[in-house]
């Protein structure tokens, strides 16, 4: 067996869990993936089973190492990246979740958020957290879990038992990174990026906020310790007697979009990336300054290395992009995602069709929880090719919405946008994106940049990589797409805005 040394990365996403192993050049040497169940108890509700995610995590780690012939003792460290706002609460003694995890897409707490808005608390929350009050974030999910977990299923008697036990510190709150760190090391820890997405964390003081904890009724005793994204002190080590059979430091963690920022080596102020996954998330590094958005973007923590200041970012969160392509499959308009490029190229335009994928409301820069998916402009001559092309165009148009807001807030002109995620394998989409945003699109050789970013964070923490310059040297362009602006781009973008207007507030009072 080779005695090469490696860094492992757990990439726990919305639809599945991946484990990847990287060498010093940032190249993938092992890779395994496992999907998990999506649970939909009611319309607009989305849940995951935490124990299933943990079992899958162990399976993909074992599978990747076995396939590549790598021993767990050859891993210098493990990093974690995760779906960010997805929230769970578990029992400190037994380690068992009290309920399924509530997924970031879940809209069950929309009424609670609207109450906050009616009470005029939007500005107060935004000032502390950099976030737009929304059911997307963890605070109202944690509140719901504490108020609504079924006592019978917990085999407990008193209805106030969950909250009482939470106050006593017998329950643990966290996002998926915390859950995996706990299962791997036994420690209750999160990193600054994931903490910044809970709507309970003050991004200026870099600590849990007592007033927000009181607002949402989340006891301080349930909270994880907040640590740097790349932590020289490590979050802990795996158990030599556990499934890995070795003590491996767990030393880095970032929420998936911040991990992609790190993996794309966006270390300098003004560097920007867009990740195309279930949704799309565009982040721009704003350096040491937390830039307040006036155009519907989020101000968030970008990353932090041990002993260094926090780096902030502006973020445009687009809820549905890759999920819109999955919808095409669900509707049997395509058999797999690879078909979309050929079908879109087979027609010259959408023939006036516009698609707004507001299946779970609209994120940045609109922030309308009651917007819903909309198709406009269809005629009897509309074919599936037009709809497929309209879906791809919706991804590009939503990105332009965010890019324009980002340039306005930051005062920085976007000249190159680094892209990653599954959808960027589609050359038609990448060129379309360049045309509609009007900027160069750079696609890297390694496009699994969320996993790569968490590997970089862990590797830097243990000295596997000494400096970020080594990481910059690893970053290589696979393809670059330059804008080719057809004369009708502005007209089409104007019609896109019209279509968005049609989708807004649709779910109000049942759509009446």
């Amino acid at each position: 067996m080779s005695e090469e040394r490696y860094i492992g990365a757990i990439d726990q996403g919305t639809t599945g869990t991946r484990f990847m192993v990287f060498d010093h050049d940032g190249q993938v040497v092992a890779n395994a993936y496992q999907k998990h169940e999506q649970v939909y108890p009611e319309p607009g509700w989305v849940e995951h089973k935490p124990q299933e995610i943990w079992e899958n995590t162990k399976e993909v780690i074992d599978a990747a190492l076995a396939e590549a012939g790598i021993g767990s003792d050859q891993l210098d460290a493990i990093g974690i990246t995760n779906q960010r706002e997805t929230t769970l609460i578990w029992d400190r003694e037994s380690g068992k979740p009290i309920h399924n995890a509530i997924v970031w897409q879940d809209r069950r707490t929309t009424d609670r958020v609207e109450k906050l808005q009616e009470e005029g608390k939007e500005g107060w929350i935004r000032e502390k957290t950099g976030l737009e009050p929304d059911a997307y974030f963890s605070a109202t999910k944690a509140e719901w879990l504490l108020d609504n977990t079924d006592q019978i299923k917990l085999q407990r008697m008193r209805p106030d038992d969950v909250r009482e036990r939470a106050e006593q510190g017998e329950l643990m709150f966290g996002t998926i990174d915390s859950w995996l760190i706990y299962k791997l090391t036994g420690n209750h820890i999160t990193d600054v990026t994931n903490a910044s997405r809970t709507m309970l964390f003050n991004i200026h003081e870099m600590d849990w906020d007592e007033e927000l904890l009181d607002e949402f009724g989340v006891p301080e005793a349930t909270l994880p310790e907040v640590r740097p994204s790349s932590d020289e002190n490590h979050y802990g080590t795996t158990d030599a007697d556990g499934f890995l059979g070795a003590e491996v430091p767990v030393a880095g963690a970032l929420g998936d979009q911040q991990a992609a920022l790190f993996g794309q080596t966006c270390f300098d102020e003004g560097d920007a990336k867009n990740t195309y996954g279930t949704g799309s998330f565009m982040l721009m590094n704003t350096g040491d300054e937390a830039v307040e958005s006036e155009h519907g973007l989020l101000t968030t923590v970008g990353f932090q290395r041990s002993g260094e200041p926090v780096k902030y970012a502006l973020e445009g969160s687009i809820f549905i992009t890759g999920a819109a392509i999955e919808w095409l499959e669900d509707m049997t308009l395509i058999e797999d995602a690879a078909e979309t490029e050929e079908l879109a190229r087979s027609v010259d335009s959408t023939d006036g069709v516009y698609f707004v994928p507001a299946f779970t409301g609209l994120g940045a820069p609109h922030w309308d929880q009651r917007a819903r998916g909309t198709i406009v402009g269809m005629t009897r001559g509309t074919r599936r090719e037009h709809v497929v092309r309209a879906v791809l165009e919706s991804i590009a148009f939503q990105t332009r919405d965010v890019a324009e807001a980002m340039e306005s807030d930051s005062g920085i002109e976007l000249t190159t946008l680094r892209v990653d995620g599954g959808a960027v394998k589609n050359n038609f989409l990448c060129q379309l994106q360049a045309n509609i945003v009007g900027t160069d699109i750079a696609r890297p050789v390694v496009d699994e940049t969320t996993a790569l970013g968490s590997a970089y964070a862990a590797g830097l923490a243990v000295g596997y990589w000494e400096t970020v310059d080594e990481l910059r040297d690893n970053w290589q362009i696979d393809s670059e797409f330059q804008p080719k602006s057809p004369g009708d781009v502005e007209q089409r973008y104007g019609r896109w805005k019209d279509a968005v207007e049609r989708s807004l507030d649709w779910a109000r009072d049942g759509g009446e």
Side-chain angles (χ1 to χ4, degrees):
M1 181 179 290
S2 167
E3 289 307 313
E4 291 287 330
R5 310 299 299 173
Y6 304 101
I7 300 293
I10 298 168
D11 185 352
Q12 203 300 296
T14 307
T15 55
T17 305
R18 186 180 302 279
F19 185 71
M20 303 184 80
V21 179
F22 296 91
D23 63 17
H24 199 270
D25 294 330
Q27 297 300 305
V28 179
V29 296
N31 185 358
Y33 178 77
Q34 180 75 39
K35 281 191 172 184
H36 58 255
E37 182 182 358
Q38 307 295 311
V39 181
Y40 304 104
E42 295 186 25
W45 294 27
V46 192
E47 297 178 357
H48 292 159
K49 298 176 181 177
Q51 193 60 36
E52 180 188 11
I53 287 174
W54 169 237
E55 295 300 329
N56 287 355
T57 299
K58 292 189 290 184
E59 285 183 22
V60 294
I61 291 174
D62 287 341
L65 294 177
E67 185 177 339
I70 295 171
S72 55
D73 58 352
Q74 291 177 257
L75 297 176
D76 275 6
I78 292 173
I80 295 171
T81 182
N82 58 288
Q83 47 169 324
R84 293 177 296 181
E85 298 80 8
T86 297
T87 302
L88 69 156
I89 294 175
W90 65 97
D91 185 283
R92 187 179 297 273
E93 183 177 348
S94 70
K96 293 181 179 180
I98 68 170
H99 190 279
N100 282 345
I102 301 181
V103 179
W104 60 271
Q105 299 163 312
D106 188 282
R107 311 311 292 176
R108 75 185 66 184
T109 60
T110 293
D111 289 345
R112 174 68 170 108
V113 171
E114 290 176 344
K115 182 180 178 185
L116 291 169
Q117 293 166 341
E118 290 167 5
E119 294 171 350
K121 294 180 178 177
E122 290 173 280
W124 174 67
I125 291 173
R126 194 182 304 113
E127 182 180 345
K128 289 173 176 287
T129 67
L131 307 177
E132 191 77 21
D134 195 271
Y136 172 34
F137 303 110
S138 305
T140 58
K141 301 180 193 302
E143 182 181 43
W144 190 96
L145 286 169
L146 291 170
D147 286 341
N148 294 279
T149 297
D150 191 326
Q151 306 301 313
I152 295 174
K153 289 182 180 178
L154 289 179
Q155 297 179 335
R156 291 187 173 272
M157 300 295 290
R158 293 178 289 115
D160 61 345
D161 199 56
V162 170
R163 281 208 164 274
E164 183 177 304
R165 297 187 70 230
E167 293 283 355
Q168 294 172 353
E170 295 177 15
L171 301 180
M172 305 167 89
F173 154 85
T175 43
I176 296 292
D177 61 305
S178 297
W179 170 243
L180 293 179
I181 291 169
Y182 170 79
K183 298 298 282 186
L184 288 165
T185 71
N187 296 325
H188 191 204
I189 288 170
T190 191
D191 95 295
V192 291
T193 67
N194 280 294
S196 77
R197 309 298 295 192
T198 60
M199 214 161 73
L200 298 170
F201 189 77
N202 190 311
I203 64 169
H204 308 288
E205 297 179 2
M206 294 304 295
D207 201 357
W208 300 112
D209 190 277
E210 290 184 9
E211 292 180 333
L212 290 172
L213 295 176
D214 183 62
E215 172 67 39
F216 296 105
V218 178
E220 188 173 358
T222 66
L223 300 175
E225 179 186 356
V226 183
R227 303 274 282 274
S229 314
S230 176
D231 191 357
E232 292 175 355
N233 293 322
H234 311 166
Y235 306 142
T237 61
T238 59
D239 188 347
D241 295 326
F243 79 99
L244 262 181
E247 289 188 4
V248 181
V250 181
L254 302 107
D256 52 9
Q257 303 313 317
Q258 287 94 334
L261 190 75
F262 209 78
Q264 288 274 32
T265 67
C266 294
F267 302 132
D268 298 324
E269 185 176 341
D271 289 346
K273 70 87 198 176
N274 196 26
T275 298
Y276 300 79
T278 302
S280 285
F281 300 85
M282 184 171 170
L283 272 72
M284 176 184 282
N285 184 332
T286 61
D288 298 342
E289 183 184 1
V291 175
E292 185 175 347
S293 175
E294 297 179 358
H295 299 87
L297 302 181
L298 306 177
T299 305
T300 195
V301 174
F303 55 87
Q304 184 185 30
R305 293 183 61 196
S306 292
E308 295 188 4
V310 168
K311 298 297 181 185
Y312 292 96
L314 280 171
E315 175 174 331
S317 307
I318 304 168
F319 294 157
I320 300 292
T321 53
I325 294 173
E326 293 176 359
W327 175 81
L328 289 173
E329 293 185 54
D330 295 341
M331 298 296 288
T332 67
L333 292 172
I334 60 172
E335 291 185 6
D336 62 70
E339 273 188 90
T340 58
E341 182 167 355
E342 181 182 353
L343 287 168
R345 289 185 187 278
S346 71
V347 289
D348 294 331
S349 71
T350 66
D351 200 26
V353 174
Y354 290 82
F355 174 78
V356 183
F359 298 143
T360 57
L362 286 173
H366 311 287
W367 295 106
D368 187 332
Q369 299 185 91
R370 296 189 182 275
R372 288 295 178 266
T374 305
I375 303 176
V376 297
M378 290 193 296
T379 68
R380 186 65 181 83
T382 299
R383 304 196 308 276
R384 68 170 178 145
E385 292 88 344
H386 298 123
V387 175
V388 169
R389 183 166 177 141
V391 167
L392 295 183
E393 288 198 355
S394 77
I395 296 173
F397 283 133
Q398 288 182 101
T399 302
R400 175 165 170 177
D401 286 345
V402 167
E404 290 192 348
M406 201 162 278
E407 288 184 332
S408 296
D409 281 331
S410 68
I412 298 171
E413 182 181 358
L414 191 65
T415 56
T416 300
L417 181 61
R418 299 183 177 193
V419 299
D420 55 76
V424 303
K425 295 178 175 66
N426 185 323
N427 288 331
F428 176 83
L429 175 60
C430 288
Q431 185 60 59
L432 184 69
Q433 189 71 91
N435 296 349
I436 287 176
V437 176
T439 192
D440 291 351
I441 300 294
R443 181 175 66 196
V445 171
V446 178
D447 60 9
E448 291 288 352
T449 54
T450 53
L452 182 60
S454 66
Y456 280 165
L460 284 167
V462 300
Y464 185 81
W465 292 286
E466 296 290 341
T467 69
V468 294
D469 288 335
E470 294 177 67
L471 310 184
R472 289 189 178 99
D473 291 341
N474 285 346
W475 191 81
Q476 296 177 350
I477 291 179
D478 171 60
S479 297
E480 195 161 18
F481 301 84
Q482 297 178 332
K484 300 175 184 176
S485 293
D488 65 345
V489 164
E490 296 306 315
Q491 184 267 336
R492 285 160 52 211
Y493 185 54
R495 293 297 279 166
W496 157 258
K497 290 181 176 180
D498 293 340
V500 169
E501 285 294 322
R502 303 292 198 278
S503 76
L504 299 178
D505 206 34
W506 185 261
R508 175 78 56 188
D509 298 328
E512 296 178 0

